[in-house]
Amino acid sequence: MHTSGTLYVVATPIGNLGDITQRAIEVLKSVDLVAAEDTRHSGQLLARLGIPARFVALHEHNEQQVAQRLVAEMQAGKRIALICDAGTPAISDPGTLLVAAAHAAGITVVPLPGANAAVSALSAAGMNAPHWLFYGFLPNKAVARSKALAALVHLPYVLVFYEAPHRIVECVAALAASLGGTRRITLARELTKLFESIHSLPLAEAVTWLEADLNRQKGEFVLIVEGAPEVVVDEDDARLRDTLAVLLEELPLKQAAHLAARLTGLKKNVAYELALQMRDADAEKT
């Protein structure tokens, strides 16, 4: 007899069934209730694992109401497992409100680590990422997406995004337009599934690569993008700023940065980043 309830936040496979942990299996077998984003999907998963479970649906449309009921159940001693359709719950998925409500009620919250698409993709991207920013899904609308990317353009951190197949081309095009074509992007698709693919290339080439084969646009994506290069302009390199100031008055940003790099001998990505900063600074003044 349990005297107090517990909320287990349980990671489930993102594709390969073998990625479930032994601890997750043991907890899912022992809890009184499983809160799942899609009970039919999760029911099939647990059935394949041989785990009988009593489910309750917890999704973005009912989480506020269901969370209060589940908290009451846990206060009465029930042990509940929170899972999502795939991967680690409450990260770009429902569950955050339930976890917060459990903490507020003094209920013990126990995370069970496991599969996570963002971390898996980052580990296979081959980018030096001592610091990285998980953004999740960018806004669907073009104007809102551009505004979001404008806030990220100068950050020196590797950027991690999720994207759906029907928006992947326009999303990558927006990344290239806002962040510049010289940064590398890793497109990780269908991780741990049958048609998993991981491909890295410059952002400028990414849309063409995607459009060359419609199969490359299928599946769920994690996008890993290099952070902004560090721009260090000392007295000797101040000529880059002066050169850009002149060229930007007459030429598009990309062309001005390319010519400025050739004239000063500095790297193209440094010239491009400084050009972006100068353009944004001018925009703020107006």
Side-chain angles (χ1 to χ4, degrees), residues 135-153 159 161-179 185 203 207 223 225 279:
Y135 190 91
F137 289 94
L138 284 162
N140 296 337
K141 302 291 186 180
V143 173
R145 184 169 53 226
S146 295
K147 185 176 180 180
L149 287 172
L152 304 174
V153 67
L159 305 174
F161 304 96
Y162 285 162
E163 193 49 273
H166 62 281
R167 288 194 302 267
I168 186 61
V169 172
E170 64 179 281
C171 175
V172 171
L175 288 170
S178 295
L179 306 181
I185 180 172
L203 256 175
V207 168
L223 307 175
V225 185
R279 181 197 65 183

Side-chain angles (χ1 to χ4, degrees), residues 28 31 36 48 54 67 125 152 154 172 174 199 226 235-236 257 278:
L28 290 169
V31 293
R48 291 174 65 191
R54 176 179 161 227
L152 304 174
H154 301 309
V172 171
H199 188 74
E226 281 183 326
E235 292 183 4
D236 291 335
M278 293 173 65

Side-chain angles (χ1 to χ4, degrees), residues 13-17 19 115 120 189-197:
I14 57 177
N16 193 310
L17 192 65
D19 290 333
S120 297
R189 180 175 69 90
E190 291 291 270
L191 288 175
T192 81
K193 300 175 185 175
L194 181 61
F195 297 106
E196 172 184 280
S197 68

Side-chain angles (χ1 to χ4, degrees), residues 125 127 172-173 175-177 179-187 199-210 223-226 254 268-269:
M127 293 188 190
V172 171
L175 288 170
L179 306 181
T182 61
R183 299 195 202 185
R184 291 194 69 78
I185 180 172
T186 296
L187 298 102
H199 188 74
S200 296
L201 72 173
L203 256 175
E205 303 171 12
V207 168
T208 300
W209 182 82
L210 284 167
L223 307 175
I224 313 289
V225 185
E226 281 183 326
K254 185 176 180 180
K268 285 191 293 184
N269 60 345

Side-chain angles (χ1 to χ4, degrees), residues 21-31 51 79 112:
T21 67
Q22 185 60 43
R23 185 181 176 207
I25 291 174
E26 292 171 358
V27 166
L28 290 169
K29 284 181 177 179
S30 68
V31 293
I51 301 174
R79 300 165 73 241
L112 273 66

Side-chain angles (χ1 to χ4, degrees), residues 180-182 204 248 251-260 272 275:
T182 61
L248 285 170
L251 298 172
L253 186 145
K254 185 176 180 180
Q255 189 176 355
H258 179 74
L259 287 175
Y272 189 89

